[in-house]
């Protein structure tokens, strides 16, 4: 059993490394547009993202996790606890290494897809081709196209709408205030729905579709009106940049939400395999679902927060200086489209990534002439890495599995 | 660092456009000094000022090339890529016209502009310089428009363009007046030729500024 405890310690280290990577990488997803649009300072962004990720991971993060993320590999590979132990370790390290590589190459990849790819590698080694759920893999492939396209369309429409009904009008500021309840309400509607459907805490409430829609609608209406009333009080009559000021306030809200949801959802990418190791080491066997102790969630959340704190500053600094044309209205359109896409796609059962959706959102606003210059060709390069993520993580995981099998 | 948005965002071409417009403006000041100095007898600094204009023109050329070289295929901007290039070309032609004018003067520095024509030439120079001053303001205001898409802002830019067009018209009138007076002057044919070409190159400065305005108008069209 002592050997197993040393495995657990290694598992903690790998898990922390993976969580750290998630933090370092995904901090840009939630806070990039807000920092780029100067809605919050870099220091604030790092601080808010860190806190909210820990809170999201610990309190909203799932206390029960699927041992295999997204059910891509049949659970029969777990029948041998020893193999499962090695598999969880190699998957964890493989995913983390791939994300580290992508981080180093400045390419946006999905942390979820990395762990899914690593799990496939483990499944192939432990159970052969038959244990892989190829239909689920198809969904992953579908998400490479669907999430950016979906997000592109929504961002395009939202930005055009903002231009048409507010910006182009003579009394833009007054119209901005008049339409604020609508935009705040719309955002709240999406936020409440994704909270109910996407986060583990929301799932425990087990609301039906109609109940959820009604709740979201009611909250959106109340929140929209209340938010607009607050806006009227706090946004001064500075007509020059008034509209941007309004969207600045809304954008801070959306960014915080993305950070919170990110902590809740992505913590499982690091903690899921770690929970498998923990469970095997402490009980000796494993099932399809494992309970995740609160301290593990906190551990994952802290790992993410460390990643944010250590890498976030540099990321934010670069964003703040380089994306000078990202105003609050644009930032809002990108945030909103990404959040909506993630909600809709996950309702359809697609394993989408916020990263993919955000990239699509930027393209949508670009198509709507929202940016002074965005380069669309880079998309092809980015997509190549989305596609590469799964096989790369899988191959690394397979290699690590072989190596670890020799050692353990 | 992995930043999903960052690799997509490029340096705004407006930064370069603004910088280029400022260079044109700066050049116009030096140009005015040079030509006014030339009118005074015994001008010592004309050559130095001409060199300065050539230097500024070179710098502006570098900016122009930088803008053109850094908009890859697949770039999305609020305006068409070629509208931007056409605009830049016209703004650059203003500079070329300034340089051409000084070159033309330098070919025959003596005896200079006849006393009788100086008043008309000063008027022509002033009206040719006026639209240049508007160019950098136009770029700045247009940039604001592409940020906030406000109808008010669009009208402001259109007003500047209309103003430039008016100033070009003024320049045309001043050019006609100068030319008429040159032919009524009892002087040698070489001087007449030199002066006529001078008036024409001065007039072309405003023409290019007007063309730049027209391209800007095309960018604003919805």
């Amino acid at each position: 059993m002592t050997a197993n405890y040393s495995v657990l310690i290694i598992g903690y280290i790998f898990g922390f490394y993976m969580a750290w990577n998630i933090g370092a990488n995904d901090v840009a997803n939630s806070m990039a547009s807000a920092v780029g649009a100067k809605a919050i300072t870099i220091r604030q962004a790092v601080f808010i993202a860190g806190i909210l990720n820990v809170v999201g991971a610990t309190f909203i993060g799932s206390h029960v996790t699927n041992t295999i993320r997204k059910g891509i590999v049949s659970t029969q590979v777990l029948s041998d606890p020893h193999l499962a132990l090695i598999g969880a370790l190699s998957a964890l390290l493989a995913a983390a290494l791939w994300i580290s590589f992508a981080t180093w190459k400045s390419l946006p990849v999905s942390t979820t897809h990395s762990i899914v790819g690593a799990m496939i590698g483990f499944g192939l080694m432990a159970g052969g081709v038959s244990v892989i759920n190829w239909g689920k893999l198809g969904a992953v492939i579908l998400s490479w196209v669907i999430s950016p396209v979906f997000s592109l369309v929504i961002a395009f429409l939202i930005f055009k709408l903002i231009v048409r009904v507010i910006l182009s009008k003579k009394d833009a500021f007054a119209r901005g205030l008049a339409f604020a309840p609508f935009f705040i309400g719309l955002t709240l509607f999406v936020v409440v729905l994704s909270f109910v459907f996407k986060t583990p805490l929301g799932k425990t409430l087990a609301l039906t579709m109609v109940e959820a829609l009604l709740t979201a609608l009611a909250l959106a209406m109340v929140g929209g009106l209340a938010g607009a009333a607050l806006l009227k009080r706090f946004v001064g009559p500075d007509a020059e940049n008034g509209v941007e000021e309004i969207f600045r306030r809304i954008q801070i809200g959306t960014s915080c939400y993305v950070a919170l949801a990110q902590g809740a959802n992505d913590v499982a990418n690091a903690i899921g395999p770690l929970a498998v190791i923990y469970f095997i080491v402490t009980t000796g066997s494993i099932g399809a679902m494992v309970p995740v102790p609160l301290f593990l969630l906190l551990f994952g959340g802290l790992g993410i927060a460390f990643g944010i704190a250590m890498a976030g500053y540099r990321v934010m600094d670069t964003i703040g200086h380089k994306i000078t044309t990202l105003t609050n209205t644009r930032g809002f359109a990108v945030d909103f489209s990404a959040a909506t896409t993630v909600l809709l796609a996950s309702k359809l059962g697609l394993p989408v990534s916020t990263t993919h959706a955000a990239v699509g959102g930027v393209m949508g606003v670009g198509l709507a002439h929202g940016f002074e210059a965005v380069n669309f060709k880079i998309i092809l390069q980015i997509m190549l890495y989305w596609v590469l993520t799964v096989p790369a993580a899988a191959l690394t995981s397979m290699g690590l599995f072989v190596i670890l099998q020799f050692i353990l | 660092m992995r930043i999903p948005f960052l690799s997509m965002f490029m340096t705004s071409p407006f930064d370069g456009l603004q910088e280029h417009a400022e260079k044109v403006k700066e050049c116009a000041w030096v140009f005015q000094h040079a030509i006014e100095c030339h009118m005074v007898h015994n001008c010592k600094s004309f050559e130095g000022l001409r060199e300065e204009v050539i230097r500024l023109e070179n710098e502006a050329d570098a900016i122009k090339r930088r803008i053109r070289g850094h908009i890859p295929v697949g770039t999305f901007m609020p305006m068409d890529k070629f509208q931007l290039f056409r605009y830049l070309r016209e703004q650059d032609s203003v500079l070329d016209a300034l340089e051409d004018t000084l070159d033309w003067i330098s070919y025959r520095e003596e005896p200079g502009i006849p006393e009788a024509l100086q008043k008309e030439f000063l008027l022509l120079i002033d009206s040719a310089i006026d639209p240049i001053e508007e160019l950098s303001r136009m770029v700045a205001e247009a940039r604001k428009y592409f940020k906030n898409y406000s109808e008010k802002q669009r009208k402001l830019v259109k007003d500047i363009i209309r103003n430039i067009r008016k100033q070009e018209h003024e320049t045309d009138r001043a050019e006609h007046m100068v030319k008429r007076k040159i032919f009524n002057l009892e002087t040698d044919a070489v001087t007449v030729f030199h002066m006529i070409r001078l008036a024409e190159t001065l007039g072309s400065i405003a023409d290019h500024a007007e063309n730049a305005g027209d391209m800007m108008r095309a960018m604003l069209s919805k």
Side-chain angles (χ1 to χ4, degrees):
Chain A
M1 236 22 214
T2 38
N4 274 354
Y5 274 102
S6 53
V7 168
L8 185 59
I9 290 165
I10 298 169
Y12 276 125
I13 296 168
F14 288 179
F16 193 81
Y17 177 48
M18 177 68 182
W20 189 92
N21 266 307
I22 293 173
N25 290 319
D26 286 353
V27 62
N29 287 345
S30 54
M31 294 289 158
S33 59
V35 171
K38 307 255 186 305
I40 45 177
T41 65
I42 300 168
R43 199 186 287 267
Q44 286 168 336
V46 171
F47 195 70
I48 293 173
I51 298 277
L52 289 180
N53 264 283
V54 174
V55 171
T58 315
F59 298 107
I60 314 176
S62 183
H63 293 265
V64 175
T65 185
N66 290 321
T67 37
I68 307 289
R69 286 290 283 164
K70 308 288 176 195
I72 196 139
V73 179
S74 155
T75 47
Q76 72 193 65
V77 293
L78 297 172
S79 49
D80 179 355
H82 184 64
L83 275 188
L85 205 58
I86 294 171
L89 269 184
S90 50
L92 206 49
L93 187 60
L97 284 176
W98 170 250
I99 301 168
S100 286
F101 172 74
T103 306
W104 174 57
K105 296 289 281 177
S106 305
L107 284 157
V109 296
S110 154
T111 50
T112 308
H113 288 189
S114 304
I115 198 81
V116 164
M119 282 296 184
I120 292 175
F122 156 50
L124 282 175
M125 291 307 282
V129 183
S130 62
V131 297
I132 309 292
N133 186 344
W134 297 105
K136 289 272 184 185
L137 187 61
V140 170
I141 291 167
L142 208 59
S143 77
W144 291 331
V145 180
I146 287 188
S147 45
V149 170
F150 223 93
S151 186
L152 184 150
V153 172
I154 296 171
F156 180 89
L157 292 177
I158 280 285
F159 185 65
K160 279 282 179 202
L161 185 73
I162 292 172
V163 169
R164 191 64 59 85
V165 302
I166 299 176
L167 287 176
S168 69
K169 300 295 177 191
K170 272 208 173 63
D171 46 349
F173 181 59
R175 293 197 51 115
L177 278 182
F179 276 97
F182 172 72
F183 283 105
I184 297 174
L186 199 63
T187 313
L188 270 177
F189 186 70
V190 175
V191 165
V192 171
L193 279 186
S194 27
F195 192 80
V196 171
F197 290 128
K198 271 274 289 179
T199 63
L201 184 67
K203 280 176 189 150
T204 57
L205 293 174
L207 294 177
T208 64
M209 191 71 181
V210 180
E211 278 170 357
L213 283 174
L214 285 176
T215 317
L217 197 66
L219 279 174
M221 281 190 347
V222 173
L225 290 172
L230 281 176
L231 270 179
K232 278 201 187 89
R233 275 195 60 138
F234 287 112
V235 180
D238 165 29
E240 179 72 26
N241 262 320
V243 180
E244 296 296 338
E245 277 297 304
I246 292 169
F247 279 95
R248 194 170 90 100
R249 302 303 203 280
I250 304 178
Q251 219 199 327
I252 297 172
T254 54
S255 288
C256 289
Y257 160 69
V258 178
L260 196 68
Q262 192 176 36
N265 288 302
D266 290 358
V267 71
N269 289 335
I271 293 312
L274 182 56
V276 172
I277 299 168
Y278 179 78
F279 204 75
I280 293 172
V281 170
T282 48
T283 67
S285 66
I286 188 80
M289 305 282 273
V290 280
V292 183
L294 193 67
F295 80 88
L296 271 188
L297 288 170
L298 181 64
F299 177 73
L302 285 175
I304 296 178
F306 263 96
I308 290 169
M310 286 167 78
Y313 203 86
R314 228 177 87 198
V315 177
M316 295 302 171
D317 194 43
T318 327
I319 291 171
H321 283 109
K322 210 170 167 194
I323 311 182
T324 50
T325 70
L326 189 70
T327 59
N328 300 114
T329 41
R330 277 81 168 164
F332 169 76
V334 172
D335 277 352
F336 181 82
S337 68
T340 311
T341 304
V342 170
L343 168 69
L344 284 173
S346 58
K347 257 330 255 180
L348 295 173
L350 291 175
V352 290
S353 122
T354 326
T355 313
H356 300 181
V359 168
V362 172
M363 294 207 302
V365 178
L367 269 179
H369 298 316
F371 295 120
E372 287 183 351
V374 279
N375 188 353
F376 273 40
K377 234 173 122 188
I378 217 101
I379 284 299
L380 291 177
Q381 200 194 354
I382 291 176
M383 283 188 123
L384 179 72
Y385 274 80
W386 292 352
V387 176
L388 277 179
T389 294
V390 174
L395 285 174
T396 317
S397 171
M398 286 159 88
L400 287 170
F401 188 83
V402 173
I403 297 170
L404 286 174
Q405 236 176 346
F406 271 114
I407 300 171
L408 296 173
Chain B
M1 264 310 126
R2 185 185 75 110
I3 305 160
F5 311 92
L6 205 58
S7 45
M8 298 175 69
F9 283 91
M10 306 184 324
T11 320
S12 164
F14 268 98
D15 286 334
L17 224 52
Q18 186 79 57
E19 212 181 314
H20 191 267
E22 296 298 338
K23 274 273 180 283
V24 178
K25 199 164 146 188
E26 202 182 325
C27 213
W29 285 336
V30 181
F31 168 83
Q32 203 167 10
H33 278 302
I35 207 160
E36 275 168 4
C37 169
H38 173 69
M39 287 197 185
V40 187
H41 282 294
N42 280 330
C43 172
K44 295 266 188 316
S45 51
F46 178 78
E47 233 0 84
L49 290 168
R50 192 170 77 93
E51 294 291 326
E52 177 74 6
V53 167
I54 291 170
R55 191 182 61 81
L56 286 170
E57 203 267 343
N58 274 333
E59 283 176 15
D61 246 8
I63 298 169
K64 182 182 76 176
R65 278 196 305 275
R66 199 186 68 208
I67 299 171
R68 284 188 182 158
H70 288 85
I71 304 181
V73 180
T75 301
F76 266 73
M77 293 183 293
M79 77 293 287
D80 190 84
K81 184 161 139 182
F82 289 97
Q83 285 178 338
L84 186 85
F85 287 166
R86 277 290 301 278
Y87 175 82
L88 193 58
R89 195 173 84 186
E90 288 303 337
Q91 196 165 269
D92 201 56
S93 299
V94 172
L95 270 181
D96 290 338
L98 289 175
E99 200 190 349
D100 284 350
T101 311
L102 292 189
D103 284 345
W104 184 252
I105 292 171
S106 75
Y107 299 150
R108 194 172 185 265
E109 265 191 78
E110 288 305 321
I113 297 169
E115 205 106 5
L117 292 173
Q118 287 200 350
K119 212 182 98 218
E120 280 74 14
F121 263 110
L122 277 175
L123 199 72
L124 175 57
I125 292 156
D126 278 346
S127 55
I129 297 287
D130 281 345
I132 298 179
E133 311 258 316
E134 291 286 88
L135 282 180
S136 65
R137 196 164 76 90
M138 177 173 74
V139 173
E141 296 297 339
R143 185 176 197 173
K144 268 191 221 155
Y145 167 69
F146 288 121
K147 264 215 172 86
N148 62 23
Y149 283 105
S150 135
E151 203 48 44
K152 215 167 75 191
Q153 187 67 25
R154 188 160 175 268
K155 199 175 164 299
L156 184 66
V157 184
K158 277 162 76 180
D159 285 344
I160 297 175
I161 297 170
R162 193 171 302 127
N163 200 19
I164 292 177
R165 204 175 297 138
K166 253 188 226 144
Q167 286 166 337
E168 194 274 338
H169 191 66
E170 289 294 311
T171 314
D172 270 353
R173 279 191 19 205
E175 191 185 328
H176 287 313
M177 264 161 61
V178 172
K179 281 181 175 169
R180 186 154 297 153
K181 192 136 185 207
I182 293 170
F183 281 117
N184 289 333
L185 215 60
E186 298 289 324
T187 183
D188 61 306
V190 179
T191 304
V192 169
F193 176 62
H194 193 228
M195 288 302 113
I196 290 289
R197 263 300 294 275
L198 182 60
E200 279 172 353
T201 43
L202 275 169
S204 74
I205 296 171
D207 286 341
H208 289 300
E210 191 200 10
N211 289 347
D214 286 346
M215 272 332 287
M216 183 57 85
R217 180 64 190 82
M219 289 189 215
L220 293 181
S221 65
K222 288 198 258 195

